Amino acid sequence: MPRISITAKKHLKRHMSKLHCALLIGLMGTIGSVSAKQVSIHDPVMAKEAGNYYLFSTGPGITYYASTDKVHWTLAGRVFDTEPTWARSVAPSFDGHLWAPDIIEHDGYFYLYYSISAFGKNTSAIGVTVNKTLDKNSKDYQWVDKGMVLESIPHRDAWNAIDPNIIVDEKGTPWMSFGSFWQGLKLVKLNQDFVSLAKPEEWHTLAKLERPALLNDTEPGPAQIEAPFIYKKDDYYYLFVSYGLCCRADDSTYHLAMGRSTSVTGPYLDKEGKDMAQGGGSVLLHGTKAWPGLGHNSVYQFDGKDYLVFHAYESADKGLQKLKMAELTWNNQGWPTVDPNALTQYKSVLVDPIGNK
């Protein structure tokens, strides 16, 4: 610590009361920021309405939060008071947790997609519920469940109907990407109602990893890929995926990879030109010692900036999942980049309804 001169000491003493007050306030602020509880969340997706941001995640009935600044979040509640009425007919072992939502605004309505499944099984389905507004205090606030959009059935399907994401192409056609493990990530065309598959059905494989040929179709296998998210930027559609294993604290190997295509249906090529449907994928962001795993991202443009939204596991907090957000920038080749310090730069603050942290 540097020495303080006699003159400086006298100056300090004359202003001790003011300094003491300022230091105390500063210390309280520091303690508050250190002790402030962060948003613990899996599979985050966002939407903006009338200057407010809304964050949805895996959880009982779909957990959601509200914010005015993307940092301070208030727990708003859950989308389903109980659970979708049809859930247990698809997955008898369903435990009330709805997985991996996605949200999109279309024609004055918000469409919230969600997954029903049992861990490690493809006894799964994707449903959608619709609302005019995300503001819980509005008279128009009411979620109306439209039921199942897509189902995967063991012994019939070698893919898993979870982790939906909706993209509208340049012709105005809606598409749903989805998938986890098995034979990779799929894309299927939707009707203009956004709640049903278009006929005749049109399917595409977006990305997959190697899977043993003789492995039983009911097993997820070692092809550790899931959570597709497609984002349109200039001339390209960018496909973001999560590789590795989630939900294992310090043993998590989750990380983000990407490819791009001039067509929404692919092929999606990585930086080396390898098709993601043939095992390609350029890494966007890896974990660190402090944050060993990260993934299940979404991407948005807010106020002219592109943001990557995802969750990461904090080693110092027993691997608890935390909300992360980072600005996406684009290099001269048109590829998205993320500051490697992004994991430590953003820290959410969970605020209770009366404003206490």
Side-chain angles (χ1 to χ4, degrees):
M1 179 180 292
R3 294 182 180 274
I4 302 176
S5 68
I6 294 175
T7 303
K9 286 180 179 178
K10 290 180 179 178
H11 183 76
L12 251 166
K13 188 174 182 180
R14 287 197 302 269
H15 297 277
M16 186 57 70
S17 60
K18 290 183 179 179
L19 281 169
H20 178 74
C21 182
L23 286 170
L24 182 60
I25 292 172
L27 179 61
M28 289 175 66
T30 301
I31 292 172
S33 64
V34 170
S35 62
K37 189 174 182 180
Q38 297 181 55
V39 177
S40 176
I41 198 169
H42 259 124
D43 316 326
V45 293
M46 286 178 62
K48 185 178 181 182
E49 181 188 18
N52 293 311
Y53 300 92
Y54 297 90
L55 179 69
F56 298 84
S57 77
T58 291
I62 306 177
T63 309
Y64 79 106
Y65 303 79
S67 173
T68 58
D69 61 5
K70 303 189 296 294
V71 175
H72 298 82
W73 295 93
T74 300
L75 179 61
R78 50 192 287 173
V79 172
F80 287 89
D81 291 332
T82 54
E83 61 187 46
T85 56
W86 53 274
R88 294 181 190 272
S89 65
V90 169
S93 61
F94 176 65
D95 64 0
H97 279 67
L98 296 173
W99 295 358
D102 186 43
I103 188 164
I104 186 170
E105 184 178 9
H106 170 67
D107 200 20
Y109 287 87
F110 290 93
Y111 291 74
L112 182 66
Y113 300 80
Y114 57 88
S115 310
I116 288 170
S117 188
F119 200 83
K121 298 181 182 297
N122 69 333
T123 307
S124 309
I126 294 168
V128 60
T129 184
V130 182
N131 205 330
K132 278 188 176 182
T133 178
L134 303 179
D135 179 3
K136 205 170 185 179
N137 297 317
S138 170
K139 62 179 178 59
D140 293 324
Y141 179 88
Q142 181 182 9
W143 289 104
V144 178
D145 190 39
K146 298 295 184 178
M148 187 194 310
V149 180
L150 179 68
E151 181 180 12
S152 57
I153 299 174
H155 303 291
R156 185 194 74 175
D157 304 312
W159 39 264
N160 196 11
I162 66 171
D163 297 359
N165 169 243
I166 309 302
I167 178 74
V168 179
D169 68 16
E170 67 277 4
K171 297 179 181 178
T173 302
W175 298 82
M176 182 170 67
S177 60
F178 65 92
S180 175
F181 286 65
W182 274 269
Q183 289 186 358
L185 310 181
K186 307 297 181 180
L187 181 77
V188 63
K189 185 188 289 188
L190 297 181
N191 279 318
Q192 288 296 326
D193 61 9
F194 278 64
V195 301
S196 60
L197 301 186
K199 302 291 185 180
E201 293 183 8
E202 184 176 339
W203 294 73
H204 301 269
T205 295
L206 298 176
K208 62 181 178 180
L209 297 177
E210 187 174 357
R211 174 185 171 90
L214 300 182
L215 186 66
N216 192 302
D217 285 348
T218 62
E219 297 296 322
Q224 300 169 0
I225 181 172
E226 60 187 9
F229 194 97
I230 301 175
Y231 183 66
K232 182 71 160 56
K233 179 76 172 181
D234 299 328
D235 295 330
Y236 288 101
Y237 292 91
Y238 291 84
L239 172 63
F240 300 87
V241 304
S242 295
Y243 285 156
L245 297 171
C246 78
C247 323
R248 287 162 173 79
D250 282 355
D251 294 327
S252 300
T253 58
Y254 229 29
H255 60 283
L256 294 174
M258 61 183 176
R260 69 185 183 187
S261 175
T262 55
S263 169
V264 70
T265 57
Y268 286 86
L269 308 182
D270 64 17
K271 290 181 179 180
E272 282 68 49
K274 186 172 183 178
D275 190 344
M276 294 182 72
Q278 301 296 323
S282 298
V283 172
L284 174 64
L285 193 62
H286 254 306
T288 64
K289 185 176 181 180
W291 300 89
L294 57 92
H296 208 116
N297 77 282
S298 50
V299 182
Y300 306 98
Q301 185 176 97
F302 296 126
D303 304 317
K305 294 182 179 181
D306 295 318
Y307 291 93
L308 182 77
V309 183
F310 57 103
H311 72 255
Y313 305 103
E314 186 174 16
S315 181
D317 196 8
K318 300 180 181 179
L320 187 65
Q321 63 275 2
K322 305 288 178 66
L323 172 67
K324 290 295 174 182
M325 193 178 305
E327 184 177 347
L328 274 183
T329 56
W330 305 82
N331 66 20
N332 293 335
Q333 290 74 45
W335 287 100
T337 62
V338 180
D339 187 332
N341 297 313
L343 284 165
T344 57
Q345 289 173 343
Y346 177 86
K347 183 179 288 188
S348 64
V349 177
L350 182 60
V351 182
D352 73 23
I354 60 172
N356 296 321
K357 297 176 183 177

